[in-house]
Amino acid sequence: MSALRMALVVACALGVCVACRGIGPDRAHTLEADVPTWHFADVAEEGDARRRASNRLVDEALSDELADTPRAVERIRRALQVDPTNPWAYLALAREQVSRGEYPAAWAALDQAEARILAEGEIPPGVQAHLSGLRGRVLVAQDNSAAAFPLLAEAARLAPAAWDDQHLNAAELR
Amino acid sequence: MLIALALLAFGLGMFCGRGLGRLDRIVTSRFEGRLFRVPSRVYTAPTILYPGLNIDRAGLPATLERLGYRREPNGRVERPGGFFWEQGRLKLHLRAFDHPTRPEPARRISLELYGRDIDQILDLETRRELSAVLVEPEPVGAYFGPNREQRELVRLDEVPESLVAAVLAVEDQRFERHRGIDWRRVAGAFWANLRARGIRQGGSTLTQQLVKNFFLTPERTLRRKAQEAVMAILVESRYDKEAILEAYLNEIYLGQRGPTAIHGVGEASRAFFGKAIAELELHESALLAAMIQSPNGVSPYRNAERALERRNLVLHLMRRQGRITPTELAKAQSEPILLATEVIESNETRYFLDALRLQLPQHFDGESLASDGMRIYSTLDLRLQQHAVEALGRGLRELEERFKHLAPEGRPPLQGCLVALRPQTGEVLALVGGRSYGSSQYNRCTQARRPAGSVFKPFVYVTALDRQAGPLVTLASHLDDSPLTVDTPTGPWSPANYDLEFHGEVGVREALERSLNVATARLAQEVGIERVASMASRLGIESRLPEVPSLALGAADLSPVEIGRAYATLANGGVRPEVRFFEDVVDAEDETLEQRTLEFERVVDPATAFLAVTLLEGVVESGTARRIRGQLRGPVAGKTGTSDESKDVWFVGFTPELVAVVWLGYDEPRSLKGSASQLALPIWLRFMRAATGGEIRGAFLPPPGVQRVEIDPLTGARALPGCPRRRSEYFLQGTTPEETCPRTPWTKRHPRDDTPGVIERLFDRWLWGQQ
């Protein structure tokens, strides 16, 4: 019982600490400064052989030579053939579809990217920036500015280098 | 008298003129319309090679063989379509892949192997390392017209000079000089036949042969011969030699490949040598020319010796006519006959082709598919397709041997279907719609609608677990499996369990793992049948669902493909894919006519989908599908299904990357007298073992919004130290049990709605190590 009592006391102290964490100067700002812009290159060499091979095809799709051409979509499809669970392939697909004006398809690809990322863990803030930004772009194109602006603002806040212009080009994602 | 003669001459002239005009119209209408009907071909998805891939598991050697890649004897792979094995290395000269939006160049590569795994891919030209390369898609079938002719059209400028020279040498050596009829040859043939007192030799020119094949019957009468001669002259007067030669080379019959007739040198080049026409060498050209006279008699597959003899005869003829040099003759004569593996189109893919055809837009009708020469790039994975055919075929035979009642004499045989799809993209990778396409073309994967039985039950549980709806239960809840009667417009309905017993209070997991009917039916009543039906539709069921109490137990007629899609949605974290059989369609002019984009839609939140998946994992771990364990390693989930009186048995199972559905039953429903785990599951297991090698990649991981908590399985309460029983269970955030074991007894079934506070969660985590 004494151990339990002690545990309760420690827990109470811990609780106070946690409750007080939000008090103080501009915490959100501090967090943002810690969030580096997420690039595909950060994860390109992660995972097993299939994931890495799939990532290399995504990398080709994001290259200056192929980005924003039909061949980029083709490369992403091959990446998904190698590894259909690759979230980055869906993210790259969504970016490509936004730049091609295929908005409903892009929205669905973002759903899929999110589902695949969640199936492997949590969404890193840098990736969240791209998801939000791309969703914002889709909503703008669908004349839903009210819903789009908070998302684009979130993207710009989390990844200002990539989203300040409210646009994500292949090089910025790569 | 003179007038009469003049009138007679006039009449004769009129008669001949009209006849000529008629023949001329026949000639021009054919030549200026569509010359050939070219069946549209269906191709597999390309094979992708990358470091880490096991070439045997990927079926690369077999793929190269089917594609007609040839072993190069000298170790150099200078020509596309060649390969060479060295110690720890496979050199390949990949062929180019012509496609309007996704072309691939021909390239020489080396696969550096570690065991049978690809360690590195090197470009042999640049010595650069490559990340991934594509082997061109394989043709798997075609949409034929009634005559089953297959041809690959070629332009004259693509045809190598050696082939033109060989054909002219053997079939029509004065082709460039005559005007349709070679009178010298006619005279020679006439004299030879006179001496032989019978028809021994023909004097037909190449133009006459073309006319005969295009417009006339093969009968040997004077009238037909006269028509042939006149039409040949007409053809020569209207069209130039190049057009005639091109038409001839595309028309000529060159043998059989199973039931399919090979027409034209382009098709023959692929069929016999596995290469494009432009890549033919002199000795191969001579062999093709040698076969024209007697395609099946001189077929190198049937009579290699005779084929070699005839080929050398053609080469000598070419030399005698000055078409090749003595050196060329000597070299070509010394070449052995190297043939591509004879690939006879099987019926294995016909069900898939039929299903694909139904997905094409309506303007791709039978006529255009049989004649327009389109290329349809499908989603088919030939390796998986072969495993599916094998698993279903052998599985059914073994079942019939083991359970004799399944194959009663004089009655239609037990049927089955197996369909496999990729949950993320909805691409159908393999489909076998019955045990024999030859005896029944009815596609049981796409056309049949059969009672779903218990494979429908997970939709009830997803509805009850759905965050948007409450949820009504958690995975720690208990259900009531005691007698139930529901009033329906057709009278009271009282479901029973498979074992004809009632099990009282049972956990949610246990209810699904043991596929308890009564507990599930009661849960569906609590959730609402219309909501269950709506959820099933959201997940991907397209058939009409009757909103009756028995729907919960699968009293809906569904197709295996739609069931596969609904399970794919769960496997895919609640994102529903569109089922796709093809990627794109390209016409003969290399224009993309149709393209299928990847389409998906989130229909269930990821946390709810995960809970459903973990329930279905339980069916494999300790439920009706537990025999899977020990045979497959890694994440697997699934559900058995048996309809009323065992008339249909199902197994739907999935891994993070593959969903496969097996259905068995009779076309005229009657009892199989067996359960799904006895009958359908072994076939699914055989397929999955072959497809995955027994090792499943990936994992079903809980997404954010799902908590794992230790509970007392008996009561569903949160297990504290001192609780005699415990297991961990997943909960949607905010639905963890309020009660604890052993402090308070379990009294309340419904989960609480409030989310624990920060301090409470931290305390829990610190004190009990819970997530």
Side-chain angles (χ1 to χ4, degrees):
Chain A
M1 277 312 282
S2 62
L4 187 62
R5 224 178 359 251
M6 189 140 132
L8 283 169
V9 171
V10 174
C12 188
L14 248 174
V16 170
C17 291
V18 168
C20 294
R21 271 180 68 195
I23 302 168
D26 202 350
R27 176 178 156 262
H29 182 78
T30 319
L31 253 182
E32 279 160 32
D34 294 336
V35 175
T37 301
W38 183 91
H39 293 284
F40 169 69
D42 300 341
V43 292
E45 289 304 315
E46 286 179 2
D48 61 6
R50 274 174 65 187
R51 174 59 58 82
R52 291 196 302 275
S54 175
N55 280 344
R56 282 177 210 136
L57 290 162
V58 174
D59 191 47
E60 284 180 31
L62 292 171
S63 67
D64 293 340
E65 190 194 343
L66 295 193
D68 303 324
T69 71
R71 289 204 64 196
V73 177
E74 152 58 16
R75 269 297 181 260
I76 294 167
R77 281 193 161 187
R78 294 309 133 221
L80 290 172
Q81 191 183 324
V82 172
D83 181 4
T85 65
N86 185 350
W88 319 121
Y90 294 104
L91 184 62
L93 178 66
R95 194 214 67 82
E96 192 66 39
Q97 286 168 328
V98 165
S99 81
R100 293 156 69 93
E102 296 167 358
Y103 298 111
W107 189 271
L110 288 165
D111 277 348
Q112 188 70 275
E114 205 171 279
R116 300 320 321 159
I117 299 166
L118 291 175
E120 296 184 2
E122 300 212 338
I123 303 178
V127 175
Q128 185 59 55
H130 296 323
L131 292 173
S132 299
L134 289 168
R135 283 198 196 278
R137 287 288 311 276
V138 172
L139 291 169
V140 166
Q142 292 172 340
D143 290 331
N144 189 352
S145 305
F149 287 145
L151 290 169
L152 287 167
E154 186 188 19
R157 184 166 54 80
L158 290 171
W163 281 100
D164 263 357
D165 59 353
Q166 301 194 346
H167 175 79
L168 181 69
N169 63 40
E172 285 166 337
L173 183 58
R174 193 170 66 232
Chain B
M1 182 69 181
L2 203 62
I3 293 170
L5 274 175
L7 280 174
L8 193 66
F10 179 74
L12 199 68
M14 281 286 284
F15 179 75
C16 290
R18 282 184 64 182
L20 269 176
R22 189 176 61 83
L23 293 178
D24 188 50
R25 277 195 299 280
I26 293 174
V27 166
T28 49
S29 68
R30 175 76 191 259
F31 262 83
E32 277 151 37
R34 185 208 297 271
L35 265 181
F36 301 103
R37 289 164 62 93
V38 181
S40 301
R41 274 213 166 100
V42 179
Y43 293 82
T44 60
T47 301
I48 304 176
L49 308 177
Y50 53 87
L53 181 77
N54 181 292
I55 58 170
D56 292 330
R57 285 271 306 283
L60 180 64
T63 302
L64 294 178
E65 193 174 310
R66 286 193 302 270
L67 281 167
Y69 276 67
R70 298 169 319 279
R71 186 184 300 274
E72 295 288 2
N74 57 7
R76 292 198 301 273
V77 284
E78 278 163 3
R79 295 169 299 184
F83 69 86
F84 185 74
W85 285 99
E86 275 177 11
Q87 183 71 29
R89 176 176 298 137
L90 171 61
K91 285 185 186 172
L92 262 176
H93 196 147
L94 294 172
R95 297 197 189 104
F97 171 43
D98 295 324
H99 189 282
T101 56
R102 46 190 174 110
E104 292 289 333
R107 60 188 353 165
R108 288 172 62 229
I109 61 163
S110 171
L111 304 179
E112 306 292 317
L113 302 173
Y114 180 78
R116 301 296 279 178
D117 291 347
I118 298 174
D119 188 42
Q120 209 181 22
I121 305 176
L122 289 177
D123 187 318
L124 288 173
E125 305 296 336
T126 61
R127 305 304 300 177
R128 275 181 48 207
E129 196 180 338
L130 300 169
S131 52
V133 290
L134 270 66
V135 181
E136 74 264 27
E138 292 178 56
V140 285
Y143 296 110
F144 291 106
N147 50 9
R148 284 195 73 91
E149 286 180 11
Q150 184 59 282
R151 58 165 56 80
E152 181 177 317
L153 290 183
V154 292
R155 292 189 318 272
L156 191 58
D157 58 15
E158 294 173 294
V159 180
E161 278 178 22
S162 66
L163 180 58
V164 173
V167 170
L168 294 185
V170 73
E171 291 296 320
D172 191 353
Q173 58 176 298
R174 281 179 287 277
F175 174 72
E176 290 97 338
R177 296 194 293 278
H178 66 66
R179 304 296 305 271
I181 298 172
D182 183 351
W183 295 110
R184 273 176 64 186
R185 194 167 173 194
V186 170
F190 181 75
W191 180 240
N193 292 338
L194 204 64
R195 285 202 313 184
R197 294 171 192 272
I199 295 174
R200 292 281 182 278
Q201 198 177 322
S204 291
T205 61
L206 207 138
T207 318
Q208 285 173 287
Q209 290 182 45
L210 179 66
V211 162
K212 186 178 76 181
N213 292 344
F214 263 9
F215 309 110
L216 302 170
T217 55
E219 59 182 332
R220 288 184 156 188
T221 62
L222 272 179
R223 182 184 149 81
R224 196 199 58 77
K225 263 301 198 199
Q227 274 184 336
E228 180 187 296
V230 172
M231 286 171 102
I233 293 168
L234 286 171
V235 167
E236 291 265 353
S237 66
R238 281 196 168 271
Y239 304 101
D240 59 31
K241 290 283 184 186
E242 283 76 18
I244 295 166
L245 185 58
E246 186 175 289
Y248 176 85
L249 292 173
N250 279 310
E251 167 54 28
I252 195 73
Y253 170 68
L254 282 160
Q256 288 292 129
R257 186 171 39 198
T260 308
I262 301 168
H263 279 261
V265 290
E267 186 65 27
S269 174
R270 292 266 183 219
F272 293 109
F273 306 114
K275 52 169 81 169
I277 188 85
E279 296 163 17
L280 283 185
E281 293 176 42
L282 172 59
H283 62 101
E284 294 163 331
S285 296
L287 181 57
L288 281 191
M291 290 168 60
I292 293 174
Q293 195 189 49
S294 173
N296 293 309
V298 186
S299 167
Y301 288 117
R302 293 186 188 181
N303 195 339
E305 211 172 297
R306 182 142 183 245
L308 188 71
E309 196 181 297
R310 282 283 302 172
R311 182 200 74 175
N312 290 347
L313 198 69
V314 172
L315 288 168
H316 277 287
L317 216 50
M318 291 173 80
R319 173 68 206 113
R320 206 182 308 155
Q321 293 173 21
R323 295 179 192 269
I324 54 174
T325 64
T327 323
E328 285 171 327
L329 170 68
K331 183 172 182 301
Q333 262 193 316
S334 68
E335 294 280 356
I337 293 180
L338 288 178
L339 296 171
T341 308
E342 190 178 19
V343 180
I344 295 178
E345 189 195 317
S346 70
N347 280 337
E348 287 178 1
T349 55
R350 296 305 308 185
Y351 287 114
F352 180 91
L353 264 55
D354 287 352
L356 187 160
R357 185 172 169 171
L358 289 177
Q359 206 179 55
L360 290 168
Q362 275 192 331
H363 57 269
F364 294 103
D365 57 14
E367 175 57 24
S368 74
L369 286 171
S371 8
D372 289 353
M374 294 176 282
R375 286 173 283 149
I376 301 165
Y377 294 100
S378 77
T379 56
L380 189 77
D381 181 322
L382 202 51
R383 187 181 67 88
L384 292 190
Q385 176 69 13
Q386 286 169 343
H387 291 320
V389 170
E390 158 86 5
L392 187 66
R394 272 186 64 180
L396 286 171
R397 285 194 299 277
E398 283 179 13
L399 286 176
E400 286 169 339
E401 278 165 25
R402 197 167 149 216
F403 305 106
K404 298 291 181 202
H405 69 271
L406 290 174
E409 276 183 34
R411 302 189 74 169
L414 178 63
Q415 282 292 350
C417 129
L418 197 163
V419 58
L421 44 102
R422 204 172 262 151
Q424 290 79 16
T425 58
E427 291 162 315
V428 178
L429 304 175
L431 183 146
V432 194
R435 68 188 301 168
S436 161
Y437 188 85
S439 42
S440 164
Q441 291 83 52
Y442 182 57
N443 193 331
R444 291 151 195 91
C445 286
T446 55
Q447 292 175 296
R449 297 282 183 284
R450 300 294 293 241
S454 301
V455 293
F456 192 88
K457 283 178 187 161
F459 308 147
V460 175
Y461 289 81
V462 182
T463 316
L465 290 164
D466 187 15
R467 191 202 288 273
Q468 289 173 356
L472 193 71
V473 292
T474 70
L475 300 190
S477 301
H478 282 68
L479 303 176
D480 182 7
D481 191 67
S482 62
L484 168 74
T485 299
V486 184
D487 287 327
T488 73
T490 54
W493 177 69
S494 302
N497 286 321
Y498 189 75
D499 59 5
L500 302 176
E501 288 183 10
F502 297 99
H503 303 273
E505 199 166 82
V506 292
V508 164
R509 273 190 184 277
E510 187 187 353
L512 189 66
E513 284 168 10
R514 295 174 64 185
S515 204
L516 297 179
N517 289 340
V518 185
T520 307
R522 185 174 270 111
L523 179 62
Q525 286 299 302
E526 287 182 36
V527 175
I529 282 295
E530 64 293 341
R531 282 189 47 214
V532 172
S534 159
M535 173 59 81
S537 303
R538 267 162 63 194
L539 290 170
I541 300 295
E542 287 173 341
S543 296
R544 198 188 68 79
L545 296 172
E547 291 184 3
V548 296
S550 56
L551 175 67
L553 309 184
D557 294 342
L558 307 178
S559 77
V561 165
E562 64 184 329
I563 288 182
R565 183 189 182 204
Y567 274 70
T569 306
L570 297 176
N572 193 29
V575 176
R576 183 184 63 205
E578 288 298 317
V579 172
R580 298 184 311 126
F581 287 88
F582 71 95
E583 272 190 43
D584 48 26
V585 180
V586 175
D587 70 9
E589 279 74 47
D590 235 19
E591 293 287 325
T592 303
L593 299 178
E594 188 71 28
Q595 199 162 26
R596 279 287 143 114
T597 52
L598 293 172
E599 288 176 54
F600 5 74
E601 186 182 355
R602 171 163 295 293
V603 291
V604 176
D605 80 272
T608 306
F610 173 77
L611 293 189
V613 169
T614 179
L615 266 184
L616 292 168
E617 280 188 291
V619 175
V620 171
E621 286 303 324
S622 47
T624 51
R626 60 185 171 277
R627 64 184 295 184
I628 289 175
R629 276 289 158 246
Q631 304 211 43
L632 291 178
R633 281 183 300 279
V636 188
K639 183 72 190 80
T640 50
T642 309
S643 70
D644 273 354
E645 299 171 43
S646 299
K647 288 177 181 165
D648 306 85
V649 291
W650 300 77
F651 187 73
V652 190
F654 57 89
T655 72
E657 296 177 14
L658 191 63
V659 176
V661 182
V662 171
W663 167 86
L664 304 182
Y666 294 98
D667 287 343
E668 287 174 22
R670 60 178 195 271
S671 177
L672 275 68
K673 297 178 190 153
S675 67
S677 45
Q678 273 179 313
L679 305 174
L681 183 57
I683 292 175
W684 184 92
L685 200 47
R686 185 193 290 273
F687 169 70
M688 275 298 196
R689 269 205 317 260
T692 63
E695 290 279 355
I696 312 289
R697 175 177 179 263
F700 296 117
L701 295 177
V706 172
Q707 284 181 278
R708 193 171 184 178
V709 172
E710 293 282 305
I711 62 158
D712 169 12
L714 204 64
T715 62
R718 181 188 291 245
L720 303 180
C723 183
R725 306 155 297 267
R726 60 176 55 232
R727 70 172 163 82
S728 55
E729 190 51 274
Y730 292 105
F731 293 87
L732 296 182
Q733 208 145 33
T735 68
T736 50
E738 201 171 50
E739 299 80 14
T740 58
C741 164
R743 280 196 290 178
T744 48
W746 184 82
T747 51
K748 192 176 170 189
R749 175 186 305 169
H750 294 282
R752 64 184 201 181
D753 297 328
D754 58 326
T755 310
V758 172
I759 294 176
E760 192 182 339
R761 278 189 278 133
L762 275 171
F763 180 76
D764 280 354
R765 194 177 301 169
W766 173 76
L767 196 60
W768 314 119
Q770 288 154 357
Q771 299 295 305

